[in-house]
Amino acid sequence: MAERTLRGQAVIAGIGETPYYKYGQSPDSEFKLALRAILAAAKDAGIDPKDIDGFASYSNDRNDPSRLAAALGTKELRFSNMQWGGGGGGVAAAVGNAAAAVTTGMANCVVAFRALAQGQFARFGRGTGAPLASGDDAFTIPYGVMSPAQKFVMKVVRFMHDHGVKQEALRAISLASYHHAQNNPRAVMHGRPLDEAKYDASRWIVEPFHLFDCCLENDGAAAVIIMPADRAKDLPHKPSYLLSAAGGSDHRCAAPIHNGPNYPSSHFATVAPNLYAMAKLGPKDIDVVQCYENFTGGVLMSLVEHGFCAPEEANDLLRLENLIAPTGKMPLNTSGGNLAECYMHGLELVNEAVRQIRGVSVNQASKNDAVIVIGGPMVTPVSSLILGSEATL
Amino acid sequence: MSYLPEGLPAPSAGADGLSTPYWEGTRREKLLIQFCRGCSHWQWGPEWICHRCNSFDLDWREVEGRGVIYSYQRIWHPVHPALNGHGPYIAALVELPAAGNVRMVGNLLGDPKQDVPIGGSVEAVFEHHDSAAPPFTLVHWRLI
Ligand SMILES: [Zn+2]
């Protein structure tokens, strides 16, 4: 039997996004944002948007593939896919699902996308307005544990306690994103620099998360076009090959009321080995890291679980000088990421990974053959992917 | 006087009744946890099936309200209107050694700015909300 793999079978042919807005400030409806991002990605790929024959998304995206296909005049719809799970946990999986479809002949040209207009819909960072909390929520919400930060932070507290990770490590992750955003005109935090003093003086959301450890909430949309690798020679841009994608979570990760056995975790303990095995690469082969920041503590654990350092080495690795392009040894979130470019549930990280492979990022890394995108941590399922230049094949 | 201000969502066993025995137990100041008759293991949170042996024969048994702080959080930013202006509060994740180290979430009573010792011993404190409709009881923790 032939090796079962996605390695090198599909390319990200085009990337697109709308302008990014503070939440509630988009002049366009969410559906229109989705359309704009998809059209931009099709143009970048040099294709007729009517030739898109599949749609893949995640996090219960509200923009239904059938409506999109009708609106765009799609000639033939062949693939419509929703990755289960909330937040940005499914961002890499959505790209992987699209790649699986084009690799196996289920479709020829699939767009993976995410659109958010929180002005039209509920915000993520607010608690419930309901009078009752039922099911698993009954065991947390009446105790004031209800927002994403509050649901995840006890993992981080325990991880930092177990391994002696300092607040300065979280601060460096935040500073790196803000540093990179200052060169990125797309970034919502462009022109809003952050330094150590400003971080230290910022209010607590929930310890150890200061305000600047927490992602933004934004409106906008982003999209990537995935095509079979044999189309790479026709593309207007240098192709970004998908070397691997992996998703899931470890044993009983979602055991109710904070009872997952591997609790102080970003949930990549089993996912990352699968990712590297398919890519035939290891963490030392990765040139640039895009790592989803819902909260900096999740980045900390995601980096450890993807093998970029041992837990006890986190204080040494997570220093600003190591994390910034082009000079740092591990450039991290080179567009500004969820903290400072835009909270587009991580799809903005995929776009940035493609820019790094192409060599056109505003914070271009000096080495750019292999780029990892680690999706939203601490939810389940989680997912991550690795892109490579032709040289990695 | 309750630890957190009135007005937060009240716990409900929900339409399927899975956790009804737990919430009824708290009204009588008893901590009831699922116990599998098939394999004699504790299970928490509540589920319809035992994750070890896949038996549906789950009992509810009382466990002593003693635990160990596994993790915690000090929360400053209010995300519910009832908490506006309230100031910090602490939620703890507590392991119950007498029930296979299952974990429960509750508030840690006392000074909200206290140092919280991971590994510290705590005991359950039942906080009755008798005038709520319907009445309910929360389970908090206190260092011992
Ligand atoms: Zn059992």
Side-chain angles (χ1 to χ4, degrees):
Chain A
M1 186 175 170
E3 182 185 12
R4 294 180 297 142
T5 184
L6 287 175
R7 190 182 200 282
Q9 300 297 305
V11 292
I12 295 183
I15 59 175
E17 73 261 304
T18 66
Y20 293 141
Y21 304 97
K22 291 186 174 177
Y23 76 89
Q25 295 190 0
S26 167
D28 291 332
S29 74
E30 188 176 82
F31 191 73
K32 191 171 177 181
L33 292 168
L35 292 168
R36 284 190 187 282
I38 292 168
L39 290 176
K43 184 179 180 189
D44 186 63
I47 62 162
D48 181 347
K50 294 178 174 13
D51 287 332
I52 295 168
D53 63 358
F55 297 85
S57 193
Y58 54 102
S59 198
N60 299 317
D61 190 281
R62 288 174 282 257
N63 302 288
D64 178 81
S66 296
R67 183 181 172 195
L68 287 167
L72 291 168
T74 297
K75 292 169 190 163
E76 180 190 12
L77 179 62
R78 297 183 64 194
F79 185 72
S80 56
N81 170 260
M82 170 56 64
Q83 172 76 6
W84 290 52
V91 59
V95 175
N97 294 340
V102 302
T103 298
T104 55
M106 296 172 71
N108 291 320
C109 181
V110 179
V111 61
F113 71 98
R114 183 78 175 110
L116 282 167
Q118 295 183 72
Q120 297 166 50
F121 301 97
R123 290 180 63 187
F124 292 101
R126 301 299 302 179
T128 172
L132 291 176
S134 62
D136 293 344
D137 287 346
F139 296 93
T140 57
I141 289 178
Y143 303 99
V145 176
M146 59 186 86
S147 71
Q150 295 160 359
K151 289 176 182 173
F152 300 142
V153 70
M154 292 193 291
K155 294 174 171 293
V156 177
V157 168
R158 179 72 195 209
F159 186 91
M160 292 174 77
H161 170 83
D162 285 349
H163 304 293
V165 181
K166 296 180 176 150
Q167 184 81 42
E168 288 78 2
L170 304 188
R171 184 175 68 186
I173 293 166
S174 179
L175 291 177
S177 287
Y178 274 82
H179 174 88
H180 289 135
Q182 302 320 307
N183 287 335
N184 179 1
R186 295 183 308 275
V188 172
M189 290 298 168
H190 182 64
R192 303 271 302 276
L194 179 66
D195 60 22
E196 291 182 356
K198 188 174 172 186
Y199 172 96
D200 291 345
S202 68
R203 62 191 171 93
W204 290 116
I205 300 300
V206 49
E207 296 176 33
F209 298 158
H210 284 275
L211 175 66
F212 294 110
D213 292 296
C214 304
C215 62
L216 303 168
E217 294 188 78
N218 295 118
D219 291 355
V224 295
I225 303 278
I226 292 109
M227 294 167 66
D230 60 12
R231 296 284 303 278
K233 62 183 183 308
D234 308 324
L235 299 173
H237 297 291
K238 179 181 174 185
S240 296
Y241 291 87
L242 185 68
L243 298 182
S244 63
S249 49
D250 49 0
H251 175 63
R252 299 197 73 238
C253 183
I257 325 170
H258 299 249
N259 275 274
N262 182 17
Y263 184 77
S265 166
S266 59
H267 301 168
F268 286 100
T270 56
V271 173
N274 292 335
L275 181 78
Y276 288 127
M278 182 183 283
K280 301 184 193 295
L281 295 176
K284 68 181 185 313
D285 302 310
I286 302 295
D287 298 318
V288 189
V289 178
Q290 312 294 337
C291 187
Y292 190 110
E293 329 98 300
N294 39 14
F295 305 98
T296 53
V299 177
L300 161 70
M301 297 188 293
S302 293
L303 293 172
V304 168
E305 290 182 343
H306 282 84
F308 291 103
C309 66
E312 291 71 22
E313 297 166 340
N315 292 324
D316 293 329
L317 177 65
L318 297 175
R319 297 171 188 270
L320 182 60
E321 63 267 29
N322 293 333
L323 307 181
I324 57 178
T327 51
K329 64 180 176 185
M330 190 188 77
L332 176 70
N333 296 334
T334 48
S335 68
N338 284 312
L339 293 182
E341 184 186 31
C342 176
Y343 181 65
M344 199 36 58
H345 272 178
L347 206 52
E348 83 285 354
L349 300 175
V350 181
N351 284 7
E352 175 64 12
V354 170
R355 290 189 180 97
Q356 287 288 347
I357 296 278
R358 290 179 181 177
V360 299
S361 170
V362 291
N363 293 294
Q364 184 59 45
S366 50
K367 290 171 60 188
N368 62 336
D369 281 317
V371 182
I372 193 169
V373 178
I374 301 172
M378 303 184 284
V379 296
T380 172
V382 295
S383 62
S384 48
L385 63 77
I386 296 173
L387 298 180
S389 68
E390 191 168 3
T392 62
L393 295 179
Chain B
M1 173 131 180
S2 57
Y3 178 76
L4 291 177
E6 299 289 341
L8 286 169
S12 163
D16 69 358
L18 173 60
S19 59
T20 297
Y22 173 84
W23 290 111
E24 289 181 352
T26 64
R27 295 294 295 154
R28 294 176 280 121
E29 304 208 347
K30 293 186 184 305
L31 208 49
L32 300 183
I33 303 288
Q34 281 189 317
F35 186 83
C36 177
R37 292 194 185 93
C39 69
S40 297
H41 278 94
W42 298 92
Q43 172 163 292
W44 196 249
E47 189 47 275
W48 292 110
I49 192 170
C50 170
H51 70 86
R52 287 188 179 81
C53 72
N54 289 174
S55 168
F56 289 100
D57 191 12
L58 290 160
D59 193 11
W60 290 83
R61 295 198 183 167
E62 184 176 359
V63 62
E64 186 186 15
R66 292 294 182 97
V68 175
I69 296 176
Y70 179 80
S71 190
Y72 73 98
Q73 58 181 314
R74 189 181 344 263
I75 297 160
W76 292 80
H77 177 63
V79 299
H80 190 281
L83 296 167
N84 285 345
H86 175 69
Y89 59 97
I90 299 172
L93 184 58
V94 172
E95 283 189 339
L96 304 186
N101 285 329
V102 300
R103 302 184 200 121
M104 309 195 84
V105 173
N107 294 121
L108 184 68
L109 303 184
D111 182 355
K113 296 184 179 175
Q114 67 185 297
D115 288 331
V116 181
I118 287 178
S121 294
V122 290
E123 64 181 3
V125 178
F126 294 88
E127 180 187 276
H128 298 294
H129 292 247
D130 293 334
S131 56
F136 64 92
T137 297
L138 298 179
V139 183
H140 295 313
W141 302 91
R142 178 166 59 205
L143 281 163
I144 52 176

